[in-house]
Amino acid sequence: MVEDKDMRDDEELDEPEEGGMYEHYKLEVDPGQKLLRVDKYLVNRIDNASRSRIQAAADAGNILVNGESVKSNYKVKPGDEVSIVMDFPRRELKIIPEDIPLNIVYEDDELLVVNKQPGLVVHPGHGNYTGTLVNALAYYYKDLPLFKTTDPRPGLVHRIDKNTSGLMVVAKTERAKIKLAQQFFEKTTKRQYVALVWGNLKEPAGTIEGNIGRSMKDRQIFTVYPEGDHGKHAVTHYKVLEELGYVNLIQCQLETGRTHQIRVHMKYLGHPLFNDDTYGGDQVLRGTTFSKYKQFVHNCFKMLPRQALHAKTLGFVHPVTGEEMLFDSELPDDMIQVIDRWRDYISNRSID
């Protein structure tokens, strides 16, 4: 399990380690992990970490494996406990409860399912310390023990991107959090997304498989590594729902859950998500050269100022009752409006 923290924004204050050192990160290497250099392993697992910074930390004796300092070329193996220690404590992050509206579609004593609106960051992090889903949950559940103001991710067992809308499950108790997290780890949950992508796919249905890891050229984005040990195994199944001229409406089912998985896999396939400004979908990638067509597309961008991606379906086993639970949500208004505009376009090509 990862205590998932940003290297620049450490969160909880620990007691000092032996020798006056403070633990900033602690990770346990997954059972299926292949032998991999510790510097590459940490770069893949920690947000905003550069390989040079990791190597410098190792040279300074700040990278520990099973309590012993190691060099950058040490190869981690399943079960290893990897720590990063510093001679200063982590900055304490206090979660400020905020009265942010939540679209709750289901709730009981153990969990709730929320339909997250686009633009809402899931948890606090660098540059986003307020206005997140966690701030909203801290307000809504201010009397529950799990939702402490010093825990940056209370009840969270998965997340979706800031500008992706859709369904998320949140635990309300520790036992629910453990059992739900196990289902996501074991890939037994059911998650289907709907996306609008550029271009007509060659096949009406298919599977995209390729490791996903941070780009070697730009650490802020992810890319597919079809071969080698870089990145994490990722599988996305897709099906075309509707062809809309120069874009397709598709359904994606996740077999794994990697950061930006659908966005990265569709970019790799040559069909970036419509208006995905991180992976090139915010350009006119298909269509005509007519100015009216270009204006039509840019008007669609304005109507949908984000990547066209919605987490539509979520299924899991209730952590206490054992009941199979399946939730489905309607597409948000901004996606519906743009899809309707494309339907109008293909029925009346005079828009060109």
Side-chain angles (χ1 to χ4, degrees):
M1 293 292 290
V2 179
E3 292 187 11
D4 192 2
K5 304 181 190 303
D6 185 315
M7 287 195 74
R8 297 174 299 180
D9 299 284
D10 304 309
E11 289 157 351
E12 293 180 50
L13 180 63
D14 280 341
E15 292 297 318
E17 297 296 308
E18 189 173 338
M21 303 296 281
Y22 295 82
E23 186 175 78
H24 282 232
Y25 299 86
K26 186 175 182 179
L27 308 92
E28 182 176 339
V29 180
D30 294 335
Q33 176 66 52
K34 298 179 181 178
L35 291 178
L36 182 66
R37 285 175 57 115
V38 69
D39 54 352
K40 294 181 70 175
Y41 175 79
L42 289 172
V43 165
N44 290 342
R45 299 299 296 272
I46 299 176
D47 289 343
N48 303 305
S50 68
R51 194 167 179 182
S52 61
R53 290 184 67 193
I54 293 294
Q55 290 173 340
D59 291 341
N62 297 130
I63 307 296
L64 308 182
V65 177
N66 304 323
E68 301 290 334
S69 63
V70 298
K71 297 302 182 183
S72 301
N73 62 357
Y74 174 89
K75 292 189 177 181
V76 299
K77 59 184 181 299
D80 275 349
E81 192 171 86
V82 183
S83 303
I84 300 180
V85 296
M86 301 290 180
D87 60 359
F88 54 88
R90 291 187 274 185
R91 180 179 60 77
E92 184 176 14
L93 175 64
K94 183 176 182 179
I95 304 301
I96 302 172
E98 296 180 75
D99 188 7
I100 300 170
L102 292 174
N103 181 5
I104 296 174
V105 299
Y106 175 83
E107 182 176 11
D108 61 26
D109 291 339
E110 299 291 331
L111 59 88
L112 81 156
V113 176
V114 61
N115 190 1
K116 187 188 83 68
Q117 62 265 42
L120 182 65
V121 176
V122 171
H123 58 76
H126 180 68
N128 293 292
Y129 298 112
T130 61
T132 73
L133 176 64
V134 166
N135 295 106
L137 292 170
Y139 179 89
Y140 188 71
Y141 290 127
K142 50 182 173 285
D143 297 325
L144 287 182
L146 191 63
F147 292 81
K148 299 175 182 177
T149 58
T150 54
D151 184 352
R153 302 186 182 186
L156 297 185
V157 294
H158 69 126
R159 65 180 183 181
I160 55 180
D161 296 337
K162 171 185 175 181
N163 288 324
T164 299
S165 55
L167 297 173
M168 288 184 61
V169 59
V170 179
K172 292 172 62 176
T173 67
E174 192 63 39
R175 64 177 177 179
K177 185 175 182 179
I178 292 171
K179 291 185 177 181
L180 286 170
Q182 183 178 9
Q183 292 182 52
F184 279 92
F185 178 76
E186 295 176 348
K187 306 177 182 64
T188 59
T189 57
K190 299 178 178 65
R191 288 176 289 169
Q192 287 186 348
Y193 290 68
V194 170
L196 192 66
V197 301
W198 279 107
N200 291 314
L201 280 76
K202 293 181 180 179
E203 302 294 335
T207 296
I208 312 168
E209 188 168 359
N211 285 13
I212 290 178
R214 289 191 182 276
S215 168
M216 299 294 190
K217 298 178 180 179
D218 182 352
R219 304 297 301 168
Q220 301 302 311
I221 66 174
F222 292 79
T223 191
V224 172
Y225 296 90
E227 298 178 357
D229 58 6
H230 191 68
K232 300 177 186 177
H233 180 63
V235 180
T236 304
H237 307 284
Y238 73 86
K239 180 174 71 174
V240 176
L241 300 177
E242 189 174 0
E243 294 184 354
L244 296 167
Y246 301 116
V247 296
N248 278 187
L249 187 66
I250 67 170
Q251 174 184 287
C252 291
Q253 183 167 332
L254 294 183
E255 189 172 310
T256 55
R258 308 306 181 199
T259 303
H260 297 180
Q261 178 169 321
I262 293 173
R263 301 165 66 187
V264 175
H265 268 171
M266 295 313 300
K267 166 75 171 181
Y268 174 67
L269 201 63
H271 300 277
L273 269 63
F274 188 79
N275 209 16
D276 188 342
D277 60 359
T278 301
Y279 295 101
D282 60 338
Q283 305 296 318
V284 182
L285 300 180
R286 301 287 195 281
T288 73
T289 59
F290 293 111
S291 59
K292 285 186 178 180
Y293 171 73
K294 292 180 179 179
Q295 186 59 54
F296 161 74
V297 173
H298 285 292
N299 287 340
C300 288
F301 286 161
K302 291 179 182 179
M303 296 172 66
L304 181 72
R306 63 182 182 99
Q307 67 263 11
L309 183 62
H310 177 70
K312 192 173 190 301
T313 303
L314 176 63
F316 53 87
V317 175
H318 194 282
V320 175
T321 67
E323 177 187 357
E324 291 273 356
M325 308 195 77
L326 184 64
F327 298 92
D328 187 69
S329 60
E330 298 294 327
L331 293 181
D333 289 342
D334 56 359
M335 284 187 67
I336 291 174
Q337 290 174 15
V338 167
I339 292 166
D340 285 344
R341 287 293 301 273
W342 277 100
R343 287 173 179 149
D344 290 342
Y345 167 73
I346 62 172
S347 66
N348 183 10
R349 292 298 179 105
S350 65
I351 196 168
D352 290 344

